[in-house]
Amino acid sequence: MHFKQRAGSALADAKLQSVMKRFGSGFVEKRTQARAAFGVDLFERLRDEGAKLRDRGLANLDVWLLRFEAEALRRGATVLWAGDTAEAREHVLRICREHGLKKAIKSKSMVSEEAGLNDALEAHGVQPVETDLGEYIIQLAKEPPSHIIAPAIHKDKEQVSDLFTEHHRKPRLTDIDELTREARVMLREHFLSADLGISGGNFLIAETGSVAIVTNEGNGRMTTTLPRVHIAITGIEKVIPTLEDLSLLNRLLPRSATGQAISNYVSVLTGPRGANDREGPEHMVFVLVDNGRTDFLGGEMQEMLRCIRCGACMNHCPVYQTVGGHAYGWVYPGPMGSVLTPMFNGLENALDLPQAATLCGACHVACPVKIPLPGLLRKLREKQVEQRLRPRTERAAIRLWAFAATRPWLYALGTKLAVRVLRMLSSSTGVIRRIPFDPGWTLGRDIPAPERKTFRQLYAEQRSERGNQGSPVTRIGKPSS
Amino acid sequence: MRVGLLVTCLVDMMRPRIGFSALKLLESAGCEVVVPAAQTCCGQPGWNSGDRASARALAEKLIDEFEGCDFVVAPSGSCAGMVKTHYPDLFPGEGAWLERAERLAARTWELTDFLTNVVKLDSPPSRFTGTVTYHDSCSGLRELGVKQQPRRLLAKLPGVRLKEMNGCETCCGFGGTFSVKFGEVSAAMADAKCEHILATGADVVVLGDLGCMLNIEGRLRRRGDNTTRVLHIAEVLSYEK
Ligand code: SF4
């Protein structure tokens, strides 16, 4: 199914629409306040620095990854490279076999979603339990996330009550605090009984071989310290050179994501439990996933690899605000998803995503690392045209337009006729309610009728009244008075 | 000061009076205005649809047509934005054309930006009165930084009261071909915009781009609203009645 159909069902879903109406302003408002509190100019400078920092990391990605590997190994961790998501799943399953692991608690990881890790674990007898509240909810609902940092944002309180009542087999609760408390109680047992913890990684720090995890619920800490084995699975582009760099990006990330000056928890995890440590996993494993990322290094899509998965672009996207995340059809929604999904899954498998944007630029100005998302979407559109992936009629229409617009006499004739036809179709109130062959405009809008004549016609008439004819460039003198 | 008026294709076809309003404003600011007769479209539909060749052909044509002008002014943030921020991208690494594109880009202005920051128009020739709300068009706002310019000009009209709407910077849902490819989503976005406009109680929504204009007006009328007027900033600033 394409974006268009899924967006159609999202628009028809009254419950979702009321949730999305409320979503619209929340995160945006909070980011605005956080930016103001930080100082608008300073924050803009920080975005510049963030973009540069990410570019520096990407320019020498191989160097930083090798440095990361060496430092992580030196501190007793294991580093496994995965070329694609199948390899990532194999790595994780092999570790489960080797250590006899049966239950995995998970803190939020988009790469785990990208790799479909939960299904793979389940199929091999390892029970995955999502411990981020939002992820937990959608795991119960058996749904994909609809937002990268607020995965259950499409659900309202009633729906969560229903899910909890059904799965927890307890009396129905409706108060949000009580619901949260019940989830904590349910999760507590899993935290204590799990033998594997799977986390994502917001950043990999090359100089120390550490992973940094930014969360609000504290589940990340338990996931990474309680079970015997900790696997951090993340994309290779997440490596940054130094801890100093982390402090810069960590000023940008929570402010852009939730409008917090800092998230409730920032964990920097380095190596497994040492001889003198009282806690921590016995084994720490990094699964670093490429899955197409290196293909974009050095190319015109490289800027996308700066992404720090904050979600600001979708929060600010008027299309996302209207249809929600599921319309985008895969794990990454919103503007970043419309770029990433075709990059990872193939342009031919995500035909209308690059088109599903008004190119309004709200994402670009919100992105903490200044990814020119509208520009990247436009480049994908260009590739679609080059690879003949757009419908023939559409390509023909644009070419016909250009053919006429490069021939002024033909263009003048065409527009004159078009105006006449549109006026014939218009009602007494000056609008056109339906036109033949309209692909979609009049579904929800009228077309305001054009005036009687084109500017070109009227201007020529006026000019001949002034008795000034002939030259291709017409000049009107300065006002005489 | 020789100013070329880039009428824009939508003004030419749908709302010529906006072109004449722009002309009047520029003349009243003392400009010598030229209107290249063979101008058509800036090429943005091709550019945004991924058809670089079409966009480029139209860019070359426009660059030729406006070569002799000191300034090029468009009553549209979207078309001015195309010339200013994207034309150079159409000629990567091509010495002569790139240089011409960059020279044109540097001389191109959105109308209210030009009136405020170049000719510093003091008293717009307008008798407009009423309560208005202003919709910021995306390209004007985010590509060209057009935000205070139209508001400053409106503030010069004694009979005008500006009442800002919530989300005045949020896209109305037009997005060029997006509006027909995803008609329902686009209309839903336009509807959200209409809600914000109506909540202000303004008689008129003023804006600076034809795409937004057709979209918002089209949605208002479909909702059955035949009273809220949709006017281009140039019309308001040169209003006669
Ligand atoms: S593209 Fe930018 S705004 Fe969107 S998630 Fe990535 S970093 Fe955040």
Side-chain angles (χ1 to χ4, degrees):
Chain A
M1 201 164 43
H2 289 307
F3 176 87
K4 188 166 173 157
Q5 286 81 35
R6 285 188 301 258
S9 5
L11 288 172
D13 180 340
K15 198 144 207 173
L16 177 70
Q17 283 302 306
S18 83
V19 174
M20 291 317 291
K21 282 243 154 64
R22 261 176 290 147
F23 166 81
S25 49
F27 281 136
V28 173
E29 194 54 36
K30 289 194 186 121
R31 175 187 176 273
T32 307
Q33 285 163 8
R35 177 166 167 263
F38 190 80
V40 168
D41 293 344
L42 203 57
F43 193 73
E44 292 310 307
R45 264 169 49 205
L46 203 60
R47 288 176 67 224
D48 280 328
E49 291 306 316
K52 277 191 237 156
L53 191 163
R54 292 297 287 136
D55 282 348
R56 281 200 300 276
L58 293 169
N60 294 301
L61 190 63
D62 51 343
V63 174
W64 299 118
L65 282 170
L66 291 175
R67 174 86 194 273
F68 172 83
E69 182 183 40
E71 297 298 331
L73 291 178
R74 210 154 67 78
R75 289 165 174 84
T78 307
V79 179
L80 302 173
W81 303 98
D84 54 23
T85 54
E87 207 176 334
R89 288 189 297 271
E90 275 163 33
H91 283 321
V92 174
L93 293 172
R94 199 184 59 246
I95 288 164
C96 291
R97 277 197 307 274
E98 278 172 14
H99 295 276
L101 308 171
K102 287 286 163 233
K103 184 193 275 192
I105 46 172
K106 296 183 69 205
S107 74
K108 221 176 145 6
S109 157
M110 288 311 297
V111 174
S112 151
E113 301 279 350
E114 189 181 319
L117 196 54
N118 285 4
D119 288 346
L121 287 167
E122 252 169 301
H124 290 81
V126 182
Q127 182 193 359
V129 181
E130 294 289 350
T131 65
D132 170 274
L133 185 56
E135 288 283 350
Y136 177 67
I137 292 168
I138 60 165
Q139 190 182 24
L140 295 183
K142 297 195 170 50
E143 285 175 16
S146 67
H147 189 289
I148 60 168
I149 64 158
I153 195 81
H154 59 287
K155 292 239 171 281
D156 71 3
K157 196 176 66 178
E158 303 305 315
Q159 291 168 311
V160 175
S161 285
D162 292 347
L163 277 170
F164 281 14
T165 316
E166 180 192 339
H167 290 271
H168 296 168
R169 296 167 202 275
K170 293 196 172 172
R172 183 185 169 87
L173 299 172
T174 48
D175 179 71
I176 291 184
D177 285 345
E178 286 179 7
L179 285 165
T180 311
R181 208 168 303 127
E182 186 174 285
R184 287 172 76 113
V185 172
M186 302 303 290
L187 284 171
R188 183 70 40 162
E189 284 187 25
H190 292 302
F191 279 126
L192 296 174
S193 58
D195 36 27
L196 170 63
I198 299 176
S199 73
N202 290 90
F203 302 104
L204 300 168
I205 296 130
E207 70 171 347
T208 56
S210 323
V211 60
I213 295 174
V214 177
T215 71
N216 272 325
E217 295 173 14
N219 62 319
R221 290 218 169 151
M222 299 215 268
T223 302
T224 53
T225 53
L226 284 177
R228 274 196 288 138
V229 180
H230 168 210
I231 299 176
I233 178 169
T234 197
I236 52 169
E237 85 285 11
K238 291 295 187 66
V239 72
I240 55 174
T242 65
L243 280 169
E244 193 68 33
D245 298 335
L246 173 65
S247 82
L248 193 156
L249 290 170
N250 212 25
R251 287 192 175 94
L252 283 168
L253 175 57
R255 285 186 174 86
S256 304
T258 50
Q260 292 167 288
I262 189 160
S263 54
N264 294 349
Y265 298 90
V266 178
S267 308
V268 179
L269 302 153
T270 313
R273 178 202 301 208
N276 300 320
D277 293 339
R278 297 226 318 272
E279 55 199 3
E282 291 162 26
H283 303 279
M284 184 184 198
V285 183
F286 289 98
V287 176
L288 304 184
V289 183
D290 180 342
N291 196 30
R293 286 161 173 80
T294 41
D295 296 346
F296 299 98
L297 280 175
E300 53 180 6
M301 305 302 288
Q302 175 172 314
E303 284 154 314
M304 193 60 226
L305 298 176
R306 287 181 196 156
C307 177
I308 58 173
R309 305 290 191 268
C310 72
C313 54
M314 58 203 75
N315 295 342
H316 288 74
C317 174
V319 177
Y320 179 95
Q321 287 170 6
T322 307
V323 299
H326 285 163
Y328 295 81
W330 196 48
V331 295
Y332 298 109
M336 56 88 85
S338 293
V339 178
L340 283 177
T341 303
M343 279 169 75
F344 289 162
N345 293 352
L347 196 54
E348 64 287 0
N349 296 316
L351 280 186
D352 58 357
L353 284 184
Q355 309 283 331
T358 61
L359 306 181
C360 77
C363 49
H364 182 195
V365 298
C367 177
V369 286
K370 294 195 143 181
I371 299 173
L373 291 152
L376 297 180
L377 289 169
R378 201 181 278 116
K379 282 179 190 163
L380 290 174
R381 293 179 183 185
E382 246 177 70
K383 286 186 205 296
Q384 289 183 323
V385 171
E386 279 164 19
Q387 297 171 24
R388 299 174 168 265
L389 291 169
R390 295 302 304 164
R392 199 187 297 258
T393 45
E394 180 185 316
R395 283 182 288 141
I398 296 286
R399 277 209 300 271
L400 182 67
W401 170 256
F403 183 84
T406 42
R407 290 163 180 77
W409 61 270
L410 178 62
Y411 187 84
L413 183 69
T415 47
K416 187 170 148 184
L417 289 174
V419 166
R420 236 181 252 170
V421 171
L422 285 172
R423 286 192 65 87
M424 267 158 40
L425 291 170
S426 68
S427 72
S428 55
T429 53
V431 293
I432 298 142
R433 306 194 71 92
R434 293 266 177 282
I435 52 167
F437 311 114
D438 169 26
W441 179 282
T442 55
L443 286 175
R445 281 158 302 197
D446 295 342
I447 303 172
E451 289 171 40
R452 272 168 212 297
K453 293 181 176 173
T454 63
F455 180 91
R456 189 183 317 275
Q457 290 173 284
L458 293 167
Y459 187 70
E461 286 171 16
Q462 202 187 69
R463 208 184 51 175
S464 64
E465 276 167 30
R466 293 195 195 188
N468 172 8
Q469 297 172 21
S471 79
V473 169
T474 307
R475 201 178 292 190
I476 299 182
K478 283 184 185 145
S480 46
S481 62
Chain B
M1 184 190 296
R2 202 172 138 92
V3 175
L5 178 64
L6 171 57
V7 177
T8 80
C9 59
L10 282 175
V11 166
D12 174 44
M13 191 168 137
M14 303 298 286
R15 287 284 176 276
R17 61 170 169 263
I18 295 169
F20 288 104
S21 299
L23 197 60
K24 182 171 160 188
L25 285 166
L26 291 169
E27 286 182 349
S28 75
C31 306
E32 176 199 0
V33 184
V34 298
V35 186
Q39 62 176 301
T40 55
C41 165
C42 67
Q44 191 177 171
W47 172 241
N48 281 348
S49 301
D51 187 341
R52 180 177 275 267
S54 296
R56 193 194 149 117
L58 286 166
E60 285 180 11
K61 175 171 169 299
L62 194 146
I63 292 171
D64 269 338
E65 283 162 350
F66 286 90
E67 191 72 271
C69 301
D70 302 319
F71 295 96
V72 177
V73 176
S76 157
S78 165
C79 308
M82 177 69 200
V83 177
K84 251 186 129 53
T85 57
H86 302 302
Y87 267 19
D89 294 340
L90 284 169
F91 307 95
E94 290 180 52
W97 270 114
L98 180 60
E99 200 213 317
R100 289 180 72 189
E102 280 171 346
R103 261 195 291 131
L104 182 72
R107 304 196 309 269
T108 300
W109 294 76
E110 184 273 341
L111 178 67
T112 62
D113 198 10
F114 184 76
L115 293 176
T116 330
N117 291 319
V118 181
V119 288
K120 305 198 165 48
L121 180 69
D122 243 343
S123 45
S126 168
R127 296 198 196 154
F128 190 85
T129 57
T131 304
V132 307
T133 189
Y134 195 85
H135 164 69
D136 293 290
S137 78
C138 298
S139 321
L141 176 70
R142 283 179 276 269
E143 288 183 347
L144 306 175
V146 174
K147 174 75 190 180
Q148 292 312 323
Q149 298 88 323
R151 289 172 175 79
R152 263 188 238 139
L153 291 165
L154 286 173
K156 292 181 195 295
L157 307 184
V160 170
R161 200 166 75 93
L162 175 68
K163 203 148 177 282
E164 296 285 2
M165 68 176 109
N166 276 331
C168 58
E169 296 186 356
T170 303
C171 176
C172 70
F174 175 66
T177 55
F178 176 87
S179 63
V180 286
K181 283 181 189 155
F182 303 96
E184 286 176 290
V185 183
S186 176
M189 292 162 72
D191 196 60
K193 178 57 71 177
C194 292
E195 297 278 348
H196 288 313
I197 292 167
L198 296 176
T200 62
D203 323 312
V204 185
V205 50
V206 184
L207 33 69
D209 253 294
L210 260 282
C212 317
M213 184 173 210
L214 298 173
N215 192 36
I216 292 172
E217 189 172 338
R219 181 60 202 166
L220 282 170
R221 302 302 172 248
R222 179 59 64 91
R223 286 168 62 112
D225 181 329
N226 290 317
T227 49
T228 308
R229 301 176 70 192
V230 186
L231 292 176
H232 191 280
I233 180 80
E235 293 179 275
V236 175
L237 294 174
S238 64
Y239 206 78
E240 276 171 10
K241 270 164 273 169

